[in-house]
Amino acid sequence: MRIETTSNYKRFKLLGGNRGISKAHVKRIKESMAEKVIPVPIIVNEKFEIIDGQHRFTAASELKHPIHFVKIPGLSLPDVQRLNSNSKNWKLNDYLQSYLDLGKKSYYVYADFMEEFGFKHEQNFILLTHGSLGHLRRTQFQQGKLRISSDQLEWGKMAAERIIEIGSKFEKERDATGARYFVGACCAAFNVKRYDHKHMMKKIHARRNPLTPQASLQDYTRMLEEVYFYHMSDANKFRLDV
């Protein structure tokens, strides 16, 4: 690959869907360049869209330093994400903002759901897949393949409202709503046909002590069962995770 050099900054473009420019990161690079300039080339595609090095480019252009670059045709946003995941991992919020910038409808639905209920990404993946604890939805999310059906959204909202209601009975509500295993255990219970949420809340309200954080999915399930079946005969008991 041939490294080229130019001071024509207008040739280059920031790639739509890439992470936003961090002013703090640009500032750190500029401070480093003030001490010594190391000509690390940026990577661009045939359209001069920056695939790797947008912060280096921004810092160098602001300081009026020449831009060293390597042009590799055919690169696009997935290559940006792949490069970044090999250096400084993209966070899930970065993927979300990236696909929002690209106008992907499902990500707007997802963002609205996240804002409405306040759950973290891992909990949202469970809520929007009828209680699945698998990693498939995370992978789809990162690859821009997120799909949310109307049925999934409706079920997710129902589950979220119930979990927030149960979670309010913890001494610290964030101990519940911030716990992935608690969300998973609740969703498993909601999928049991015999589960009655009004009965659950009646039992919780009658409980003197607050609910407490647990160490595992199974522990949360046993806790929910302990509450749900308190003072009930064995004949009327059933599992809340099958």
Side-chain angles (χ1 to χ4, degrees):
M1 293 183 291
R2 184 164 62 96
I3 298 176
E4 302 179 56
T5 303
T6 183
S7 292
N8 183 3
Y9 310 118
K10 293 182 180 181
R11 296 177 70 183
F12 302 95
K13 306 172 187 175
L14 298 181
L15 183 63
N18 197 356
R19 285 186 291 191
I21 297 293
S22 167
K23 293 182 179 179
H25 190 28
V26 171
K27 181 181 178 181
R28 288 193 294 269
I29 295 175
K30 288 170 70 174
E31 290 172 349
S32 176
M33 287 181 170
E35 296 179 7
K36 183 177 181 179
V37 177
I38 301 175
V40 178
I42 65 173
I43 299 175
V44 302
N45 60 18
E46 72 279 6
K47 300 176 183 177
F48 281 86
E49 294 172 323
I50 300 173
I51 303 300
D52 181 58
Q54 63 177 5
H55 286 89
R56 295 197 304 278
F57 166 79
T58 303
S61 62
E62 288 181 2
L63 292 173
K64 306 302 181 183
H65 290 319
I67 304 298
H68 303 273
F69 68 96
V70 172
K71 184 165 60 175
I72 304 177
L75 298 182
S76 59
L77 181 61
D79 301 301
V80 175
Q81 296 170 340
R82 191 172 295 110
L83 281 169
N84 282 319
S85 67
N86 291 332
S87 53
K88 181 181 179 182
N89 288 340
W90 268 38
K91 297 179 181 179
L92 291 172
N93 280 340
D94 294 323
Y95 285 102
L96 175 59
Q97 188 58 55
S98 174
Y99 294 124
L100 288 175
D101 290 345
L102 293 176
K104 288 184 174 287
K105 183 178 179 180
S106 288
Y107 288 82
Y108 282 99
V109 174
Y110 178 92
D112 288 342
F113 180 89
M114 187 174 186
E115 182 177 0
E116 180 176 358
F117 296 105
F119 287 95
K120 298 177 181 178
H121 291 289
E122 294 295 345
Q123 286 88 323
N124 289 332
F125 297 155
I126 298 169
L127 289 164
L128 292 170
T129 53
H130 286 251
S132 172
L133 285 172
H135 297 290
L136 176 61
R137 180 51 58 94
R138 181 187 180 95
T139 301
Q140 292 174 334
F141 186 88
Q142 293 171 320
Q143 294 177 346
K145 299 177 181 178
L146 178 69
R147 299 291 183 273
I148 302 173
S149 69
S150 57
D151 177 64
Q152 287 174 321
L153 182 60
E154 182 180 356
W155 195 94
K157 288 184 175 183
M158 174 276 293
E161 290 170 353
R162 287 181 173 183
I163 289 170
I164 290 172
E165 191 174 12
I166 296 174
S168 67
K169 302 308 173 183
F170 280 72
E171 185 173 358
K172 297 179 181 178
E173 188 173 346
R174 65 177 180 273
D175 288 338
T177 56
R180 175 173 176 264
Y181 288 139
F182 174 70
V183 171
C186 286
C187 286
F190 303 156
N191 278 316
V192 175
K193 291 183 179 180
R194 295 174 66 184
Y195 174 84
D196 183 336
H197 189 64
K198 289 183 179 179
H199 174 83
M200 172 63 87
M201 294 311 302
K202 181 179 179 180
K203 290 286 188 173
I204 288 178
H205 285 303
R207 182 184 174 95
R208 291 185 179 181
N209 299 322
L211 301 177
T212 57
Q214 303 294 313
S216 69
L217 177 69
Q218 291 76 17
D219 289 340
Y220 274 113
T221 298
R222 300 293 86 81
M223 180 184 72
L224 293 176
E225 289 177 342
E226 178 186 343
V227 173
Y228 192 93
F229 298 113
Y230 185 67
H231 281 174
M232 288 179 64
S233 66
D234 291 343
N236 291 322
K237 293 180 180 179
F238 51 91
R239 295 291 299 273
L240 289 180
D241 58 354
V242 292

